[in-house]
């Protein structure tokens, strides 16, 4: 039985994990994050142009599977992403992801890609981009509570975009802290491994929380957060999963991606539905103020929004076009006569050209 | 730069177009359709077990891109599908599709596959399965109005599941009818190519409409539909796209897949929101009657529902497991330590095992 060569229209460029790693290592982690931040910022600044919905979530006992679509007039992107906190205990990733970028004009996919790594990179890029608008000027020290898969990407992003030099790490699992300490020391950051969350936040101008348990947790208590701090809250990202004590929220100026989604998934699910929040895209266009004084506590209640993935896919398309970072995948049936799908099948069966 | 071999957990089986064609040709088109119909029927009979939503559509000037997710307690499936009627004029397919089947337990994809062909097969299997419940007993002749990519699959499905021997074809484009006539004659059906839709429906017990234009069209007029006919209306499947004159609808017993979706997308978008319809799954469980007398006009207002794709994915997983119909795709980042995504990236950059 001959397997026939598909035509060019049948091919969709595919970026595998191995090729994503090769691309990121060739360009450099911090350079990729910096470039991603530029794409994200550009897309946030044209926010009203996007056709947006809150992500489509399928919840089960052990986790969630989500689809995150968004489109502008030219491109359509979506990401598949799961979140299963129990997975690491069984040797699987908590979060895995892949995504597709497509043409709005004809509906054909333009790019299919792994997005586990790309999500870590775009999440870090978004956090640090937001940090550039909200963190106290000349912040040099960041506390990181939760030292899992996101930790190093966040640290490097804040170095690249905000000038962070020192990171103070804490995790309930000392092995995680040890892993992150080794990685970040090699990357040239000043790292302090701490025994408690209280110790980690000492002297930090920025606090990043990125823990994974699917529950209402209190990673930060009110007395741990002093005046002038910027909090980058990454881990609370689905209903029933939060990281901050409610009292911190009421003392903070809260910044969010897409309110309809954050009200359901973010830290602010603990607050009244009409609690005031600021939309980040309006800070980036200059329509709204970001940090207004040095005593203010600013909180990025991050849940991750589809436009960030759209920006990452748009970046990846530009970066891989015409390169060997993408392989060609025989994904789309493409008969010579578009109406003759059946004939294509028959000709393939006869071993003749499709 | 070494591209490292990914671990087994990173691999997702992928069924390409070439391999889908090889599988279908090895098994046989009608055998695949018959087996698919069994999976679809089994899933329709356990309808209440599914976590269902209407598909998530992104409409643009020239077409639509849709995501169709659905889950039971064990599996999660979704399909990406576009519909762009103008595409054929530019050498592209009107509809292309791909899909993913995943584990609800850990969120990992189990199968990634082309679904342009698989959608044609599952749509035909669903139509003929419904025909087995609703068409007049001993129907031997089917009219087919619209002779595009779906046409042959529909004809073969109705032969395999309902015993159809004669098909009467009509399309506004004579080339399409010529293409389908040649294909179906080769497949051993008695084919009559007709000059008008009126001529095509003469003597037919089943009328299948599968045209593609995105508009309110009147493919069938009321006077063309006699007593006792079963109508299999495939083409009207998005807002603003219908095929039947409203008067036919009011004379018919109407059967649908998932009412919240069909009310928006199906022929019944022409009717009041509370016009009575029967859900097919209840006919299949025996809770509700199908055809009750020989003069009744039965109408399957088909729009295509996510459970049919779920069934097709479930079938394909069973059929390809452990075979070479699926290639392994390096889609999921899988570090030795799930928390050490960054370390995996660094080790890949150093050329060491990930």
């Amino acid at each position: 039985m001959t397997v026939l060569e598909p035509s060019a229209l049948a091919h969709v460029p595919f970026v595998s994990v191995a090729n994503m790693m090769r691309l990121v290592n060739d360009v450099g982690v911090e350079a990729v994050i910096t470039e991603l931040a530029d794409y994200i910022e550009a897309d946030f600044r044209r926010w009203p142009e996007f056709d947006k919905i809150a992500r489509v979530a399928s919840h089960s006992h052990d986790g969630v599977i989500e689809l995150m679509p968004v489109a502008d007039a030219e491109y359509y992107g979506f990401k598949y992403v799961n979140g299963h906190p129990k997975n690491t205990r069984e040797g699987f990733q908590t979060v895995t992801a892949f995504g597709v970028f497509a043409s709005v004009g004809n509906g054909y996919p333009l790019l299919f890609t792994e997005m586990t790594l790309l999500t870590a990179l775009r999440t870090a890029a978004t956090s640090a981009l937001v940090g550039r608008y909200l963190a106290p000027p000349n912040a040099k020290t960041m506390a990181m509570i939760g030292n899992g898969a996101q930790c190093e990407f966040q640290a490097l992003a804040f170095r690249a975009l905000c000038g962070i030099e020192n990171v103070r790490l804490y995790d309930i699992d000392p092995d995680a802290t040890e892993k992150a300490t080794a990685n970040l020391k090699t990357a040239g950051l000043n790292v302090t491994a701490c025994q408690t969350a209280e110790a980690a936040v000492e002297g930090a101008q920025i606090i990043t929380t990125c823990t994974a348990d699917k529950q209402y947790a209190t990673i930060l208590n009110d007395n741990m957060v002093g005046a002038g701090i910027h909090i980058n809250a990454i881990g609370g990202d689905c209903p029933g999963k939060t990281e901050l004590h409610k009292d911190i929220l009421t003392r903070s100026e809260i910044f969010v991606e897409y309110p309809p989604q954050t009200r359901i998934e973010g830290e602010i699910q603990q607050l009244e539905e009409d609690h005031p929040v600021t939309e980040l895209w309006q800070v980036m266009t200059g329509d709204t103020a970001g940090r207004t004084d040095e005593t203010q506590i600013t909180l990025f209640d991050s849940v991750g929004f589809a436009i960030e993935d759209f920006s990452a896919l748009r970046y990846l398309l530009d970066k891989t076009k015409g390169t060997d970072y993408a392989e060609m995948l025989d994904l789309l049936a493409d008969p010579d006569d578009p109406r003759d799908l059946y004939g294509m099948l028959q000709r393939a069966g006869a071993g003749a050209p499709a």
Side-chain angles (χ1 to χ4, degrees), chain A residues 12-16 98-101 109-114 329 331:
Chain A
V12 175
F14 165 57
V15 181
S16 67
F98 60 87
V100 172
F101 209 46
L110 300 166
L111 185 70
F112 172 61
T113 179
E114 89 81 33
L329 213 59
L331 182 60

Side-chain angles (χ1 to χ4, degrees), chain A residues 70-338:
Chain A
V70 74
D72 66 9
E74 191 175 1
Y75 295 115
Y76 172 95
F78 83 90
K79 180 168 79 173
Y80 169 107
V81 58
N82 75 296
H84 286 71
K86 74 164 180 61
N87 273 7
T88 51
R89 293 193 292 275
E90 296 160 10
F92 295 92
Q93 290 274 109
T94 300
V95 172
T96 64
F98 60 87
V100 172
F101 209 46
S103 157
V104 166
N106 66 13
Y108 272 49
L110 300 166
L111 185 70
F112 172 61
T113 179
E114 89 81 33
M115 287 190 80
T116 309
L117 269 161
L118 194 58
T119 295
L121 292 161
R122 74 81 161 139
T123 301
T126 304
S127 282
L129 171 65
V130 169
R132 213 160 56 185
Y133 285 94
L134 300 183
N138 304 314
K140 296 290 175 208
T141 302
M142 177 159 80
M144 305 199 70
I145 302 175
N147 303 149
Q150 298 284 317
C151 174
E152 293 91 335
F153 298 99
Q154 288 280 336
L156 296 179
F158 275 87
R159 175 166 71 181
L161 273 77
C162 301
I164 286 296
E165 295 169 0
N166 316 300
V167 291
R168 302 177 60 82
L169 307 183
Y170 171 72
D171 196 290
I172 48 169
D173 180 352
D175 290 348
T177 304
E178 195 179 323
K179 174 261 328 177
T181 300
N183 283 334
L184 291 175
K185 278 191 172 161
T186 304
L189 278 157
N190 301 319
V191 185
T192 309
C194 303
Q195 303 296 315
T196 63
E198 286 76 6
V201 302
E202 272 175 33
Q205 295 91 33
I206 300 174
I207 302 175
T208 288
T209 57
C210 48
T211 62
D213 261 349
K214 187 178 177 176
Q215 61 184 3
Y216 292 107
T218 306
I219 308 302
L220 282 187
N221 270 309
D222 190 33
N223 60 8
M224 293 163 67
V225 179
I229 295 289
H230 174 62
I231 304 173
N232 173 42
I234 301 299
D237 60 0
C238 70
K241 179 162 178 279
T242 59
E243 293 182 312
L244 307 186
H245 193 283
K246 189 180 163 181
D247 290 350
I248 299 173
L249 306 185
T250 53
R251 284 168 62 209
S252 303
E253 199 72 39
I254 301 173
F255 297 83
V256 305
E257 292 143 313
Y258 183 58
Q261 186 178 300
T262 310
R263 299 244 182 232
I264 297 168
E265 301 177 352
E267 297 298 327
I268 58 172
Q269 66 186 276
Q270 303 180 63
L271 302 179
E272 294 300 312
E273 272 178 32
D274 58 352
H275 189 93
V277 299
T278 302
E279 295 189 49
L280 282 160
W281 72 271
Q282 294 184 305
V283 178
M284 295 190 196
T285 58
D287 291 341
T288 309
R291 169 174 291 273
T292 50
D293 72 64
E294 63 186 14
T295 63
Q296 198 175 32
I297 299 169
T298 52
L299 166 62
F300 174 27
D301 186 2
S302 164
V303 297
F305 186 58
I307 289 179
E308 295 147 31
D309 299 308
F310 181 99
S311 307
L313 289 165
R314 193 166 67 80
Y315 170 71
L316 193 66
L317 183 67
D318 287 350
K319 207 75 185 175
T320 59
K321 203 177 278 176
T323 73
D324 67 354
Y325 293 120
E327 315 157 44
M328 288 300 160
L329 213 59
D330 170 27
L331 182 60
L332 304 177
D334 178 46
D336 289 337
D337 173 355

